[in-house]
Amino acid sequence: VSVRKLLHVDCDAYFVQVARLEDPEGAGREELLLVGGSSRSRGVITSASYPCRAYGVRSGMPTAQAVRLCPAAVVVPVPRSACARLHREIRVVLERFSPIVEGASIDEFYMDLTGTELLYRDEALFDTATRIRLAVLEEVRISVSIGGAAVRLVAKLATNRAKPGGVFVVPDGGEAEFMRTLKLADIPGVGPRMQERLQHYGLHTVQQALGYDLDTLSRLFGASWAEWLYDRIRGIDPARIEPHADAKSISRDETFAHDLHDDESLETELLHLVLRAAGDLRGEALRARTITVRIRDADFTTRQASRTLHEPIESDRAIYAVARPLLAKLRKARRTGARLLGVNVSRLTAGQGPTQLSLLGPLDELESERDRTLAHALDRLRARFGHDSVLPGRVVRPQS
DNA sequence: TCTGGGGTCCTAGGACCC
DNA sequence: TCTGGGGTCCTAGGACCC
């Protein structure tokens, strides 16, 4: 059994790089560049150029705060479709080096190069990673950093050591020693809440946590979490690289420039969100059994209500018919200004193939064959004549 | 300083069935 | 008339990631 050879490939300030490629004369010339919520009053920074980070700007920070820290910075919106396109282009390059490529997020990938020894004539993992980095840079014009190790978690953490624009490989057998150099907060999965609990016992570093046996950790943090942490701080992570993970849910949500108070405006927004989510659902040839409506109140409290159906649905009309009463239920429980509304569809199944006959009969039939045919016909119209060619008000009048 | 948008996974409690 | 344990499904909420 050969040692696993895993790589974690992470784009450096991805949204900033993409924004510059898309607009070389504008964003491309700005040293101090921020990507994120510029167009709306309530936005956060998605990505900051490295010179901006020197001013203390971080992604996730409210745009207003970021601009105060770095007043000379230029803020541009997220180039969404270009980010998705370049993600696919990077994947194509990576797949030339190994068929096992997992897209972990819009800007990072995992690769498994185990078993490529013959192909690469026992080339050191560091050298293969360097060639991969250069290939992506030359062909897609995107700079990536690459971490390598025999363990998935360690490969990811090695990337931090490689940034920006380098390669760092942790040798096989050196995982535990590498982990000892880190803080507990560096471990993905140890978020703000868990850090708080750890610090309550004076635990900040991996080295400190290594002094606690499993029983003690279990008493302090619960058995399942303790076992998880006990392994991770020793560089143990059984997770494999999985090339194709099917999506589990699709969601669309929107934070309003100003809080909405009346139910009618919220219903109009809900309809638009349903159209976007349902359109993308059908675009993936999927149907959904569970519909969830999410609302964020003015005080940032987030609530949700969901309903699971016996049969999966896909049409705008049926999904809206399920979502609308869910919104009403949330509004009835608490009637205050809403800053965000969202729609999520989940428990997805392949949409093609014969329609299942419901055992419950016509009473359960939320969606007819006619609904599905109409939805797909409208999809074709929108694809041909543009998204605004079919107005929702004309086609998706809710049946009341 | 006022907090985006798109996701995944886990847990707990209740309903329901055997 | 009063009582069991286990399993599955669903809902709501929360932590976390990029």
Side-chain angles (χ1 to χ4, degrees):
Chain A
V1 181
S2 64
V3 171
R4 289 195 292 155
K5 294 182 164 187
L6 310 183
L7 294 180
H8 178 252
V9 179
D10 195 306
C11 303
D12 304 315
Y14 184 54
F15 296 92
V16 168
Q17 284 199 75
V18 175
R20 286 181 169 155
L21 285 177
E22 288 298 290
D23 182 15
E25 299 304 311
R29 293 181 188 274
E30 302 294 342
E31 280 279 297
L32 297 173
L33 186 65
L34 296 172
V35 179
S38 58
S39 55
R40 43 174 13 99
S41 54
R42 299 166 153 173
V44 301
I45 298 303
T46 302
S47 185
S49 68
Y50 283 93
C52 279
R53 295 181 193 193
Y55 290 82
V57 177
R58 296 288 177 270
S59 55
M61 179 180 279
T63 304
Q65 187 187 351
V67 171
R68 266 193 301 276
L69 285 172
C70 185
V74 171
V75 187
V76 299
V78 179
R80 281 206 180 279
S81 62
C83 288
R85 190 182 75 244
L86 291 174
H87 175 94
R88 290 191 295 271
E89 289 182 20
I90 294 169
R91 171 185 276 276
V92 168
V93 175
L94 300 182
E95 281 172 345
R96 280 214 316 270
F97 291 85
S98 168
I100 305 177
V101 174
E102 173 184 333
S105 73
I106 188 76
D107 69 341
E108 60 180 331
F109 304 83
Y110 286 95
M111 302 175 69
D112 190 340
L113 276 80
T114 314
T116 59
E117 289 81 2
L118 283 179
L119 191 62
Y120 297 132
R121 297 168 183 267
D122 292 314
E123 181 182 45
L125 192 54
F126 180 92
D127 295 332
T128 312
T130 302
R131 288 199 293 123
I132 292 172
R133 203 190 102 65
L134 291 176
V136 174
L137 189 59
E138 275 177 25
E139 295 173 43
V140 195
R141 317 308 303 176
I142 289 288
S143 167
V144 299
S145 298
I146 303 184
V151 177
R152 184 180 164 117
L153 169 74
V154 178
K156 169 150 177 91
L157 290 169
T159 306
N160 296 336
R161 200 74 48 104
K163 274 186 173 294
V167 172
F168 188 88
V169 174
V170 176
D172 176 42
E175 294 86 5
E177 189 191 332
F178 174 76
M179 293 301 299
R180 270 202 294 277
T181 66
L182 301 176
K183 293 197 282 286
L184 290 166
D186 293 330
I187 300 172
V190 180
R193 288 302 305 272
M194 207 57 225
Q195 284 170 49
E196 221 173 276
R197 291 182 62 188
L198 289 161
Q199 280 164 22
H200 183 254
Y201 298 100
L203 290 170
H204 292 86
T205 66
V206 167
Q207 184 67 49
Q208 289 169 328
L210 284 168
Y212 285 61
D213 63 25
L214 186 55
D215 280 351
T216 309
L217 286 177
S218 295
R219 260 184 285 115
L220 299 181
F221 305 110
S224 74
W225 205 82
E227 280 164 28
W228 181 88
L229 185 70
Y230 188 86
D231 281 351
R232 296 305 175 282
I233 59 181
R234 286 165 176 78
I236 298 168
D237 175 19
R240 298 284 194 254
I241 312 302
E242 309 279 356
H244 294 295
D246 291 334
K248 300 238 164 61
S249 68
I250 294 173
S251 69
R252 294 292 172 264
D253 50 53
E254 184 170 359
T255 297
F256 309 119
H258 302 284
D259 295 351
L260 294 184
H261 288 83
D262 64 302
D263 293 353
E264 210 171 301
S265 313
L266 283 167
E267 286 197 348
T268 304
E269 294 296 337
L270 183 70
L271 178 54
H272 280 97
L273 290 164
V274 165
L275 289 171
R276 289 171 56 201
D280 291 348
L281 180 72
R282 292 190 299 274
E284 303 285 321
L286 296 170
R287 291 178 186 159
R289 279 185 57 221
T290 302
I291 312 300
T292 303
V293 174
R294 208 156 65 92
I295 197 167
R296 176 126 71 211
D297 298 325
D299 66 357
F300 221 74
T301 313
T302 308
R303 303 175 292 132
Q304 63 177 53
S306 65
R307 184 177 162 202
T308 299
L309 311 162
H310 291 100
E311 301 300 333
I313 57 176
E314 63 176 8
S315 69
D316 303 326
R317 195 197 62 75
I319 293 176
Y320 185 65
V322 175
R324 199 160 71 131
L326 291 172
L327 172 62
K329 178 182 169 184
L330 289 167
R331 291 291 289 169
K332 195 179 168 192
R334 190 174 183 221
R335 198 169 234 92
T336 171
R339 62 175 291 137
L340 169 145
L341 191 63
V343 172
N344 181 293
V345 295
S346 58
R347 287 176 167 99
L348 307 178
T349 58
Q352 311 294 37
T355 309
Q356 294 269 314
L357 280 180
S358 171
L359 294 174
L360 296 181
L363 281 179
D364 188 52
E365 205 173 280
L366 268 153
E367 179 173 86
S368 66
E369 196 60 52
R370 192 178 163 276
D371 289 325
R372 288 188 285 271
T373 308
L374 178 61
H376 284 285
L378 293 176
D379 286 343
R380 287 192 292 274
L381 276 180
R382 291 194 186 100
R384 199 165 158 200
F385 298 111
H387 211 270
D388 296 331
S389 61
V390 185
L391 297 175
R394 271 160 53 204
V395 295
V396 209
R397 260 296 51 108
Q399 292 184 350
S400 43

